[in-house]
Amino acid sequence: MTGALIDGVVGWPATAAAEYRARGYWCGETFGQLSRNWAKWYGESTAVVSGPERVSYRELDQRADVLAAGLLDRGVRPGDRIVVQLPNITEFVVLFFAMARIGAIPVMALPAHRRSEIAHLATLSKAVGYVIPDVHQGFDYRTLAAEIDVRNVFVVGDPGPYTAFASLAGDPDRVMPVVDPSSVAVLLISGGTTGRPKLIPRTHDDYVYNARASADVCELTDSDRYLVTLPIAHNFPLACPGILGTLGVGATVVMAPAPSAEVGFALVEQEKITVTALVPPLARMWADEAGYSAADKSSLRLLQVGGAKLDADLARQIPKTLGCRVQQVFGMAEGLLNYTRPDDSADLVQTTQGRPLSPADEVRVVDANGDDVAPGEVGELLTRGPYTLRGYYRATEYNATAFTPDGFFCTGDLVRQLPSGHLVVEGRIKDVINRGGEKVPAGELEDLLLTHPGVAQAAAVGLPDDTLGELVCAVIVPTQAGPPKLKELKAHLTEQGLARFKQPDKLVVLDELPLTAVGKISKRDLVNGLTKGANP
Ligand code: OOB
């Protein structure tokens, strides 16, 4: 098994690992070494632009060394986990490579996460550190840190009672630990699982390949300029091809401080952006607002859209309004990525979610018994391959249900596959709400809904919405105390430390919840009832 160094990681079986190496998917490189090579190859070229700051590859390399030594001085050791919750800023990139150099592992939290999520991530990962901004979008992360039980808090900006990130500076010539390319490089957060979010171990070998192969498919070259529009900790802007794929070819990464069309268009003009990645609701906003913007968008050649299903009409509209090619991306933090390709027909690009990235990606479409469906029929997507996990981190029991005995990951997505290999997403069987690309695990929300004294039973379901694709709807049966109002319920969830994007957009109060034959809450009946406007 690969994935040594920390326990709780399920690696690939030795035979599969040997095959991925032999076929050249895994090159035995770490992000630490790679970023050093990039400094040699691309030296004074601009690696990262953030506001007025422009950082060359050489400078990025130096800053990563100074920070890596600073982390070692602070007692951070190979295999240690640090929860990283930063907005789209240069420090994120420096930290990623600094940690890679010492074999420490970032746990990728989103700026929108709050106490409930961060406490869970810190506990699950047994984190030794937590990196935050001081204040971002009006929220003081130092007040959040005060509620998290973690040894070191490092703050980008004014540290308050904590340690200044900027003070993490050691001797850059210090000897760095040797990092095994089959060890874990990063822990990503899964949106798609039952109960509380799980952590996804991604190794250097697999994630380097993920980023490099994605850069190939997007035909990135050193003259590209990639705009980081989505929150940086998401797999999509991080490695599909995102920051890591862009830096691998010597191109430039530009940070967007916000995902709005206004901010995006200004940066496209100013920084001559060629590629960016959006979720469908943002793509719609950008397409709608393009006509009203005087900004020169002619540099944009490719808009990647993924995270939720892109409407075919919008896919048709984008090239007309934004003047660039569109690419559908159906991916998951667990691994498998599907992309439409530059030479795909317009029809494939508009009506499918792409085909698997790697020739070594194995894809099965199965029925409820786990048997392959007839070609073209809808079924659950199972997959395994050189960059798809073999197990969630520290989740033995759950792993037994999320993987087949021969290592296929059960995605919970319903798809059909065309003869060309392209997949069309038709729905899902996992209990997750996809709110405009952000994932809301229903069970996590239900558990917190039940902590309100007015809630006796709770079910969280997604309801169709023109803008976000799905809205979060909380369906409750009240206690004798009587049902809370939506506003009260949200205040309670905020009090419980739940991120705002996971909070219900709608509240429905019922006398009882519909049940299936085996006595479980029937979410299908619930959604059918609610969307027909009648009581279920
Ligand atoms: C991306 O990753 P996650 O981990 O936040 O969410 C994965 C899930 C998929 O299992 C699927 O249910 C849904 O999000 N999804 C899509 C989709 N892309 C993702 N559903 C329909 N159409 C699409 N194009 O969301 C993600 C990771 C890497 C690249 C892009 C997206």
Side-chain angles (χ1 to χ4, degrees), residues 421-469:
H422 289 69
L423 298 172
V424 179
V425 180
E426 297 285 4
R428 80 182 84 90
I429 52 172
K430 56 189 166 190
D431 202 6
V432 172
I433 301 158
N434 190 339
R435 187 181 188 275
E438 292 291 3
K439 311 306 178 319
V440 182
E444 186 187 15
L445 174 55
E446 287 157 5
D447 286 348
L448 288 177
L449 287 169
L450 287 170
T451 65
H452 189 282
V455 178
Q457 291 178 55
V461 294
L463 294 184
D465 178 69
D466 286 346
T467 310
L468 286 171

mmCIF file of all heavy atoms in Angstrom, residues 421-469:
data_model
loop_
_atom_site.group_PDB
_atom_site.id
_atom_site.type_symbol
_atom_site.label_atom_id
_atom_site.label_comp_id
_atom_site.label_asym_id
_atom_site.label_seq_id
_atom_site.Cartn_x
_atom_site.Cartn_y
_atom_site.Cartn_z
ATOM 1 N N GLY A 421 -17.873 7.801 -24.700
ATOM 2 C CA GLY A 421 -17.281 7.821 -23.352
ATOM 3 C C GLY A 421 -17.758 8.999 -22.520
ATOM 4 O O GLY A 421 -17.511 9.051 -21.320
ATOM 5 N N HIS A 422 -18.415 9.965 -23.181
ATOM 6 C CA HIS A 422 -18.890 11.138 -22.444
ATOM 7 C C HIS A 422 -20.011 10.748 -21.478
ATOM 8 O O HIS A 422 -20.827 9.872 -21.785
ATOM 9 C CB HIS A 422 -19.385 12.222 -23.409
ATOM 10 C CG HIS A 422 -18.269 12.873 -24.171
ATOM 11 N ND1 HIS A 422 -17.544 12.203 -25.131
ATOM 12 C CD2 HIS A 422 -17.736 14.113 -24.087
ATOM 13 C CE1 HIS A 422 -16.614 13.018 -25.615
ATOM 14 N NE2 HIS A 422 -16.704 14.184 -24.991
ATOM 15 N N LEU A 423 -20.031 11.437 -20.341
ATOM 16 C CA LEU A 423 -21.036 11.156 -19.317
ATOM 17 C C LEU A 423 -22.060 12.287 -19.269
ATOM 18 O O LEU A 423 -21.713 13.462 -19.425
ATOM 19 C CB LEU A 423 -20.372 11.040 -17.946
ATOM 20 C CG LEU A 423 -19.352 9.903 -17.788
ATOM 21 C CD1 LEU A 423 -18.628 10.021 -16.449
ATOM 22 C CD2 LEU A 423 -20.038 8.545 -17.907
ATOM 23 N N VAL A 424 -23.300 11.897 -19.042
ATOM 24 C CA VAL A 424 -24.353 12.884 -18.800
ATOM 25 C C VAL A 424 -24.846 12.635 -17.383
ATOM 26 O O VAL A 424 -25.219 11.513 -17.037
ATOM 27 C CB VAL A 424 -25.512 12.737 -19.809
ATOM 28 C CG1 VAL A 424 -26.615 13.755 -19.514
ATOM 29 C CG2 VAL A 424 -24.993 12.894 -21.236
ATOM 30 N N VAL A 425 -24.790 13.677 -16.546
ATOM 31 C CA VAL A 425 -25.238 13.534 -15.156
ATOM 32 C C VAL A 425 -26.749 13.644 -15.123
ATOM 33 O O VAL A 425 -27.326 14.625 -15.611
ATOM 34 C CB VAL A 425 -24.602 14.614 -14.255
ATOM 35 C CG1 VAL A 425 -25.081 14.460 -12.811
ATOM 36 C CG2 VAL A 425 -23.070 14.530 -14.309
ATOM 37 N N GLU A 426 -27.393 12.609 -14.557
ATOM 38 C CA GLU A 426 -28.861 12.560 -14.562
ATOM 39 C C GLU A 426 -29.473 12.732 -13.176
ATOM 40 O O GLU A 426 -30.682 12.746 -13.030
ATOM 41 C CB GLU A 426 -29.334 11.224 -15.159
ATOM 42 C CG GLU A 426 -28.934 11.017 -16.614
ATOM 43 C CD GLU A 426 -29.775 11.847 -17.581
ATOM 44 O OE1 GLU A 426 -30.615 12.638 -17.115
ATOM 45 O OE2 GLU A 426 -29.568 11.705 -18.803
ATOM 46 N N GLY A 427 -28.658 12.807 -12.169
ATOM 47 C CA GLY A 427 -29.199 12.950 -10.810
ATOM 48 C C GLY A 427 -28.213 12.379 -9.818
ATOM 49 O O GLY A 427 -27.037 12.200 -10.132
ATOM 50 N N ARG A 428 -28.707 12.093 -8.611
ATOM 51 C CA ARG A 428 -27.792 11.492 -7.626
ATOM 52 C C ARG A 428 -28.573 10.681 -6.615
ATOM 53 O O ARG A 428 -29.758 10.921 -6.409
ATOM 54 C CB ARG A 428 -26.950 12.582 -6.964
ATOM 55 C CG ARG A 428 -27.588 13.360 -5.861
ATOM 56 C CD ARG A 428 -26.640 14.439 -5.346
ATOM 57 N NE ARG A 428 -26.722 15.637 -6.154
ATOM 58 C CZ ARG A 428 -27.582 16.641 -5.899
ATOM 59 N NH1 ARG A 428 -28.393 16.571 -4.862
ATOM 60 N NH2 ARG A 428 -27.645 17.692 -6.673
ATOM 61 N N ILE A 429 -27.899 9.717 -6.023
ATOM 62 C CA ILE A 429 -28.545 8.946 -4.959
ATOM 63 C C ILE A 429 -27.945 9.292 -3.607
ATOM 64 O O ILE A 429 -28.434 8.849 -2.589
ATOM 65 C CB ILE A 429 -28.461 7.410 -5.205
ATOM 66 C CG1 ILE A 429 -27.022 6.988 -5.469
ATOM 67 C CG2 ILE A 429 -29.362 7.004 -6.352
ATOM 68 C CD1 ILE A 429 -26.856 5.474 -5.519
ATOM 69 N N LYS A 430 -26.883 10.095 -3.592
ATOM 70 C CA LYS A 430 -26.312 10.455 -2.280
ATOM 71 C C LYS A 430 -27.150 11.570 -1.663
ATOM 72 O O LYS A 430 -27.777 12.357 -2.383
ATOM 73 C CB LYS A 430 -24.846 10.853 -2.406
ATOM 74 C CG LYS A 430 -24.550 11.973 -3.373
ATOM 75 C CD LYS A 430 -23.047 12.124 -3.568
ATOM 76 C CE LYS A 430 -22.740 12.992 -4.775
ATOM 77 N NZ LYS A 430 -21.333 12.975 -5.137
ATOM 78 N N ASP A 431 -27.143 11.618 -0.346
ATOM 79 C CA ASP A 431 -28.012 12.544 0.363
ATOM 80 C C ASP A 431 -27.317 13.895 0.567
ATOM 81 O O ASP A 431 -26.954 14.273 1.682
ATOM 82 C CB ASP A 431 -28.412 11.926 1.707
ATOM 83 C CG ASP A 431 -29.700 12.537 2.244
ATOM 84 O OD1 ASP A 431 -30.313 13.344 1.517
ATOM 85 O OD2 ASP A 431 -30.071 12.211 3.377
ATOM 86 N N VAL A 432 -27.132 14.573 -0.559
ATOM 87 C CA VAL A 432 -26.415 15.842 -0.553
ATOM 88 C C VAL A 432 -27.228 16.852 -1.363
ATOM 89 O O VAL A 432 -27.842 16.482 -2.366
ATOM 90 C CB VAL A 432 -25.033 15.665 -1.228
ATOM 91 C CG1 VAL A 432 -24.337 16.994 -1.415
ATOM 92 C CG2 VAL A 432 -24.164 14.735 -0.420
ATOM 93 N N ILE A 433 -27.240 18.088 -0.917
ATOM 94 C CA ILE A 433 -27.893 19.137 -1.698
ATOM 95 C C ILE A 433 -26.785 19.912 -2.408
ATOM 96 O O ILE A 433 -25.785 20.272 -1.793
ATOM 97 C CB ILE A 433 -28.723 20.058 -0.768
ATOM 98 C CG1 ILE A 433 -29.767 19.210 -0.029
ATOM 99 C CG2 ILE A 433 -29.378 21.182 -1.570
ATOM 100 C CD1 ILE A 433 -30.285 19.834 1.244
ATOM 101 N N ASN A 434 -26.943 20.107 -3.703
ATOM 102 C CA ASN A 434 -25.930 20.827 -4.486
ATOM 103 C C ASN A 434 -26.436 22.242 -4.720
ATOM 104 O O ASN A 434 -27.179 22.511 -5.645
ATOM 105 C CB ASN A 434 -25.682 20.093 -5.808
ATOM 106 C CG ASN A 434 -24.464 20.645 -6.549
ATOM 107 O OD1 ASN A 434 -24.035 21.780 -6.303
ATOM 108 N ND2 ASN A 434 -23.929 19.860 -7.459
ATOM 109 N N ARG A 435 -26.045 23.141 -3.828
ATOM 110 C CA ARG A 435 -26.553 24.522 -3.875
ATOM 111 C C ARG A 435 -25.577 25.371 -4.671
ATOM 112 O O ARG A 435 -24.588 25.884 -4.134
ATOM 113 C CB ARG A 435 -26.694 25.055 -2.457
ATOM 114 C CG ARG A 435 -27.360 26.412 -2.356
ATOM 115 C CD ARG A 435 -27.417 26.840 -0.891
ATOM 116 N NE ARG A 435 -28.210 28.031 -0.692
ATOM 117 C CZ ARG A 435 -27.738 29.265 -0.823
ATOM 118 N NH1 ARG A 435 -26.482 29.466 -1.156
ATOM 119 N NH2 ARG A 435 -28.531 30.294 -0.613
ATOM 120 N N GLY A 436 -25.833 25.446 -5.969
ATOM 121 C CA GLY A 436 -24.988 26.259 -6.845
ATOM 122 C C GLY A 436 -23.542 25.794 -6.862
ATOM 123 O O GLY A 436 -22.634 26.605 -7.007
ATOM 124 N N GLY A 437 -23.306 24.484 -6.695
ATOM 125 C CA GLY A 437 -21.935 23.961 -6.732
ATOM 126 C C GLY A 437 -21.377 23.722 -5.341
ATOM 127 O O GLY A 437 -20.471 22.918 -5.171
ATOM 128 N N GLU A 438 -21.884 24.437 -4.330
ATOM 129 C CA GLU A 438 -21.461 24.164 -2.952
ATOM 130 C C GLU A 438 -22.296 23.006 -2.432
ATOM 131 O O GLU A 438 -23.522 22.985 -2.611
ATOM 132 C CB GLU A 438 -21.657 25.391 -2.042
ATOM 133 C CG GLU A 438 -20.738 26.566 -2.368
ATOM 134 C CD GLU A 438 -19.254 26.323 -2.055
ATOM 135 O OE1 GLU A 438 -18.871 25.217 -1.627
ATOM 136 O OE2 GLU A 438 -18.471 27.267 -2.267
ATOM 137 N N LYS A 439 -21.640 22.056 -1.765
ATOM 138 C CA LYS A 439 -22.343 20.850 -1.340
ATOM 139 C C LYS A 439 -22.794 20.959 0.115
ATOM 140 O O LYS A 439 -22.012 21.349 0.990
ATOM 141 C CB LYS A 439 -21.427 19.627 -1.514
ATOM 142 C CG LYS A 439 -20.743 19.546 -2.890
ATOM 143 C CD LYS A 439 -21.724 19.601 -4.028
ATOM 144 C CE LYS A 439 -21.168 19.576 -5.434
ATOM 145 N NZ LYS A 439 -19.995 20.325 -5.806
ATOM 146 N N VAL A 440 -24.041 20.605 0.348
ATOM 147 C CA VAL A 440 -24.600 20.620 1.697
ATOM 148 C C VAL A 440 -25.008 19.186 2.057
ATOM 149 O O VAL A 440 -26.026 18.692 1.565
ATOM 150 C CB VAL A 440 -25.828 21.555 1.772
ATOM 151 C CG1 VAL A 440 -26.385 21.600 3.190
ATOM 152 C CG2 VAL A 440 -25.482 22.948 1.263
ATOM 153 N N PRO A 441 -24.220 18.508 2.890
ATOM 154 C CA PRO A 441 -24.611 17.151 3.297
ATOM 155 C C PRO A 441 -25.880 17.229 4.147
ATOM 156 O O PRO A 441 -25.904 17.923 5.167
ATOM 157 C CB PRO A 441 -23.424 16.663 4.135
ATOM 158 C CG PRO A 441 -22.298 17.613 3.838
ATOM 159 C CD PRO A 441 -22.939 18.911 3.487
ATOM 160 N N ALA A 442 -26.943 16.536 3.699
ATOM 161 C CA ALA A 442 -28.241 16.661 4.371
ATOM 162 C C ALA A 442 -28.152 16.239 5.839
ATOM 163 O O ALA A 442 -28.700 16.914 6.717
ATOM 164 C CB ALA A 442 -29.282 15.819 3.638
ATOM 165 N N GLY A 443 -27.461 15.145 6.104
ATOM 166 C CA GLY A 443 -27.388 14.626 7.476
ATOM 167 C C GLY A 443 -26.760 15.608 8.446
ATOM 168 O O GLY A 443 -27.187 15.729 9.598
ATOM 169 N N GLU A 444 -25.756 16.318 7.987
ATOM 170 C CA GLU A 444 -25.077 17.295 8.836
ATOM 171 C C GLU A 444 -26.061 18.394 9.253
ATOM 172 O O GLU A 444 -26.137 18.781 10.419
ATOM 173 C CB GLU A 444 -23.908 17.901 8.046
ATOM 174 C CG GLU A 444 -23.026 18.818 8.854
ATOM 175 C CD GLU A 444 -21.982 19.536 7.998
ATOM 176 O OE1 GLU A 444 -22.103 19.558 6.749
ATOM 177 O OE2 GLU A 444 -21.042 20.089 8.588
ATOM 178 N N LEU A 445 -26.850 18.867 8.291
ATOM 179 C CA LEU A 445 -27.828 19.915 8.584
ATOM 180 C C LEU A 445 -28.938 19.375 9.485
ATOM 181 O O LEU A 445 -29.360 20.036 10.443
ATOM 182 C CB LEU A 445 -28.390 20.470 7.265
ATOM 183 C CG LEU A 445 -29.526 21.488 7.359
ATOM 184 C CD1 LEU A 445 -29.135 22.673 8.242
ATOM 185 C CD2 LEU A 445 -29.902 21.990 5.960
ATOM 186 N N GLU A 446 -29.417 18.163 9.186
ATOM 187 C CA GLU A 446 -30.519 17.583 9.980
ATOM 188 C C GLU A 446 -30.123 17.446 11.453
ATOM 189 O O GLU A 446 -30.904 17.782 12.345
ATOM 190 C CB GLU A 446 -30.916 16.223 9.387
ATOM 191 C CG GLU A 446 -31.680 16.379 8.080
ATOM 192 C CD GLU A 446 -31.615 15.142 7.195
ATOM 193 O OE1 GLU A 446 -31.047 14.110 7.620
ATOM 194 O OE2 GLU A 446 -32.137 15.211 6.060
ATOM 195 N N ASP A 447 -28.900 16.978 11.695
ATOM 196 C CA ASP A 447 -28.452 16.829 13.091
ATOM 197 C C ASP A 447 -28.512 18.154 13.835
ATOM 198 O O ASP A 447 -28.905 18.213 14.997
ATOM 199 C CB ASP A 447 -27.009 16.298 13.138
ATOM 200 C CG ASP A 447 -26.949 14.821 12.777
ATOM 201 O OD1 ASP A 447 -28.025 14.187 12.723
ATOM 202 O OD2 ASP A 447 -25.837 14.317 12.536
ATOM 203 N N LEU A 448 -28.139 19.224 13.143
ATOM 204 C CA LEU A 448 -28.139 20.529 13.815
ATOM 205 C C LEU A 448 -29.560 21.094 13.931
ATOM 206 O O LEU A 448 -29.890 21.768 14.909
ATOM 207 C CB LEU A 448 -27.217 21.509 13.082
ATOM 208 C CG LEU A 448 -25.729 21.205 13.269
ATOM 209 C CD1 LEU A 448 -24.867 22.157 12.455
ATOM 210 C CD2 LEU A 448 -25.327 21.285 14.746
ATOM 211 N N LEU A 449 -30.410 20.797 12.939
ATOM 212 C CA LEU A 449 -31.809 21.240 13.037
ATOM 213 C C LEU A 449 -32.452 20.639 14.290
ATOM 214 O O LEU A 449 -33.214 21.303 15.002
ATOM 215 C CB LEU A 449 -32.597 20.808 11.792
ATOM 216 C CG LEU A 449 -32.299 21.566 10.497
ATOM 217 C CD1 LEU A 449 -32.949 20.853 9.302
ATOM 218 C CD2 LEU A 449 -32.786 23.016 10.575
ATOM 219 N N LEU A 450 -32.111 19.381 14.555
ATOM 220 C CA LEU A 450 -32.721 18.671 15.693
ATOM 221 C C LEU A 450 -32.289 19.230 17.048
ATOM 222 O O LEU A 450 -32.908 18.922 18.065
ATOM 223 C CB LEU A 450 -32.383 17.172 15.610
ATOM 224 C CG LEU A 450 -33.131 16.416 14.506
ATOM 225 C CD1 LEU A 450 -32.556 15.023 14.332
ATOM 226 C CD2 LEU A 450 -34.627 16.338 14.812
ATOM 227 N N THR A 451 -31.237 20.049 17.060
ATOM 228 C CA THR A 451 -30.820 20.641 18.339
ATOM 229 C C THR A 451 -31.698 21.833 18.721
ATOM 230 O O THR A 451 -31.585 22.362 19.811
ATOM 231 C CB THR A 451 -29.343 21.115 18.312
ATOM 232 O OG1 THR A 451 -29.229 22.186 17.351
ATOM 233 C CG2 THR A 451 -28.388 19.992 17.945
ATOM 234 N N HIS A 452 -32.595 22.260 17.807
ATOM 235 C CA HIS A 452 -33.503 23.367 18.150
ATOM 236 C C HIS A 452 -34.685 22.799 18.957
ATOM 237 O O HIS A 452 -35.274 21.787 18.563
ATOM 238 C CB HIS A 452 -34.003 24.058 16.876
ATOM 239 C CG HIS A 452 -34.755 25.319 17.172
ATOM 240 N ND1 HIS A 452 -36.064 25.309 17.608
ATOM 241 C CD2 HIS A 452 -34.378 26.626 17.137
ATOM 242 C CE1 HIS A 452 -36.459 26.560 17.824
ATOM 243 N NE2 HIS A 452 -35.446 27.373 17.537
ATOM 244 N N PRO A 453 -35.041 23.446 20.058
ATOM 245 C CA PRO A 453 -36.097 22.903 20.917
ATOM 246 C C PRO A 453 -37.465 22.800 20.230
ATOM 247 O O PRO A 453 -38.311 22.012 20.672
ATOM 248 C CB PRO A 453 -36.175 23.896 22.089
ATOM 249 C CG PRO A 453 -35.381 25.093 21.671
ATOM 250 C CD PRO A 453 -34.411 24.640 20.635
ATOM 251 N N GLY A 454 -37.655 23.539 19.130
ATOM 252 C CA GLY A 454 -38.942 23.487 18.444
ATOM 253 C C GLY A 454 -39.016 22.403 17.373
ATOM 254 O O GLY A 454 -40.031 22.259 16.688
ATOM 255 N N VAL A 455 -37.927 21.654 17.197
ATOM 256 C CA VAL A 455 -37.877 20.676 16.101
ATOM 257 C C VAL A 455 -37.875 19.242 16.648
ATOM 258 O O VAL A 455 -36.962 18.855 17.378
ATOM 259 C CB VAL A 455 -36.612 20.902 15.228
ATOM 260 C CG1 VAL A 455 -36.528 19.863 14.122
ATOM 261 C CG2 VAL A 455 -36.620 22.311 14.638
ATOM 262 N N ALA A 456 -38.907 18.482 16.283
ATOM 263 C CA ALA A 456 -38.976 17.087 16.722
ATOM 264 C C ALA A 456 -38.373 16.155 15.677
ATOM 265 O O ALA A 456 -37.664 15.203 15.994
ATOM 266 C CB ALA A 456 -40.424 16.696 16.989
ATOM 267 N N GLN A 457 -38.674 16.417 14.393
ATOM 268 C CA GLN A 457 -38.102 15.628 13.293
ATOM 269 C C GLN A 457 -37.660 16.588 12.204
ATOM 270 O O GLN A 457 -38.280 17.648 12.032
ATOM 271 C CB GLN A 457 -39.144 14.689 12.702
ATOM 272 C CG GLN A 457 -39.569 13.561 13.618
ATOM 273 C CD GLN A 457 -40.641 12.722 12.931
ATOM 274 O OE1 GLN A 457 -40.456 12.231 11.826
ATOM 275 N NE2 GLN A 457 -41.778 12.577 13.588
ATOM 276 N N ALA A 458 -36.633 16.203 11.461
ATOM 277 C CA ALA A 458 -36.131 17.106 10.424
ATOM 278 C C ALA A 458 -35.642 16.334 9.207
ATOM 279 O O ALA A 458 -35.066 15.251 9.345
ATOM 280 C CB ALA A 458 -34.993 17.953 10.979
ATOM 281 N N ALA A 459 -35.886 16.902 8.039
ATOM 282 C CA ALA A 459 -35.324 16.365 6.798
ATOM 283 C C ALA A 459 -34.860 17.555 5.959
ATOM 284 O O ALA A 459 -35.598 18.530 5.808
ATOM 285 C CB ALA A 459 -36.380 15.566 6.039
ATOM 286 N N ALA A 460 -33.635 17.468 5.452
ATOM 287 C CA ALA A 460 -33.137 18.526 4.571
ATOM 288 C C ALA A 460 -33.189 17.995 3.143
ATOM 289 O O ALA A 460 -32.672 16.906 2.870
ATOM 290 C CB ALA A 460 -31.720 18.908 4.955
ATOM 291 N N VAL A 461 -33.826 18.753 2.268
ATOM 292 C CA VAL A 461 -33.928 18.331 0.868
ATOM 293 C C VAL A 461 -33.575 19.499 -0.056
ATOM 294 O O VAL A 461 -33.662 20.662 0.339
ATOM 295 C CB VAL A 461 -35.354 17.815 0.517
ATOM 296 C CG1 VAL A 461 -35.671 16.532 1.268
ATOM 297 C CG2 VAL A 461 -36.416 18.877 0.787
ATOM 298 N N GLY A 462 -33.197 19.164 -1.292
ATOM 299 C CA GLY A 462 -32.924 20.187 -2.289
ATOM 300 C C GLY A 462 -34.170 20.415 -3.131
ATOM 301 O O GLY A 462 -34.787 19.453 -3.589
ATOM 302 N N LEU A 463 -34.531 21.664 -3.317
ATOM 303 C CA LEU A 463 -35.666 21.975 -4.194
ATOM 304 C C LEU A 463 -35.145 22.710 -5.416
ATOM 305 O O LEU A 463 -34.237 23.543 -5.293
ATOM 306 C CB LEU A 463 -36.681 22.862 -3.460
ATOM 307 C CG LEU A 463 -37.404 22.239 -2.261
ATOM 308 C CD1 LEU A 463 -38.440 23.220 -1.707
ATOM 309 C CD2 LEU A 463 -38.066 20.924 -2.645
ATOM 310 N N PRO A 464 -35.702 22.419 -6.603
ATOM 311 C CA PRO A 464 -35.192 23.055 -7.822
ATOM 312 C C PRO A 464 -35.290 24.573 -7.765
ATOM 313 O O PRO A 464 -36.261 25.120 -7.234
ATOM 314 C CB PRO A 464 -36.108 22.506 -8.926
ATOM 315 C CG PRO A 464 -37.097 21.619 -8.283
ATOM 316 C CD PRO A 464 -36.817 21.516 -6.834
ATOM 317 N N ASP A 465 -34.256 25.226 -8.309
ATOM 318 C CA ASP A 465 -34.230 26.682 -8.308
ATOM 319 C C ASP A 465 -33.558 27.167 -9.586
ATOM 320 O O ASP A 465 -32.529 26.624 -9.987
ATOM 321 C CB ASP A 465 -33.449 27.181 -7.084
ATOM 322 C CG ASP A 465 -33.348 28.694 -7.046
ATOM 323 O OD1 ASP A 465 -34.386 29.337 -6.825
ATOM 324 O OD2 ASP A 465 -32.231 29.232 -7.239
ATOM 325 N N ASP A 466 -34.156 28.182 -10.220
ATOM 326 C CA ASP A 466 -33.635 28.669 -11.496
ATOM 327 C C ASP A 466 -32.224 29.221 -11.383
ATOM 328 O O ASP A 466 -31.415 29.073 -12.298
ATOM 329 C CB ASP A 466 -34.554 29.766 -12.055
ATOM 330 C CG ASP A 466 -35.836 29.173 -12.587
ATOM 331 O OD1 ASP A 466 -35.875 27.928 -12.763
ATOM 332 O OD2 ASP A 466 -36.808 29.933 -12.802
ATOM 333 N N THR A 467 -31.926 29.884 -10.288
ATOM 334 C CA THR A 467 -30.627 30.527 -10.168
ATOM 335 C C THR A 467 -29.560 29.575 -9.634
ATOM 336 O O THR A 467 -28.499 29.409 -10.233
ATOM 337 C CB THR A 467 -30.720 31.745 -9.217
ATOM 338 O OG1 THR A 467 -31.828 32.536 -9.642
ATOM 339 C CG2 THR A 467 -29.451 32.560 -9.248
ATOM 340 N N LEU A 468 -29.839 28.927 -8.510
ATOM 341 C CA LEU A 468 -28.811 28.122 -7.851
ATOM 342 C C LEU A 468 -28.862 26.643 -8.237
ATOM 343 O O LEU A 468 -28.046 25.855 -7.771
ATOM 344 C CB LEU A 468 -28.930 28.267 -6.336
ATOM 345 C CG LEU A 468 -28.445 29.611 -5.773
ATOM 346 C CD1 LEU A 468 -28.805 29.753 -4.298
ATOM 347 C CD2 LEU A 468 -26.935 29.765 -5.952
ATOM 348 N N GLY A 469 -29.829 26.262 -9.048
ATOM 349 C CA GLY A 469 -29.979 24.837 -9.365
ATOM 350 C C GLY A 469 -30.812 24.156 -8.299
ATOM 351 O O GLY A 469 -31.829 23.548 -8.578
#
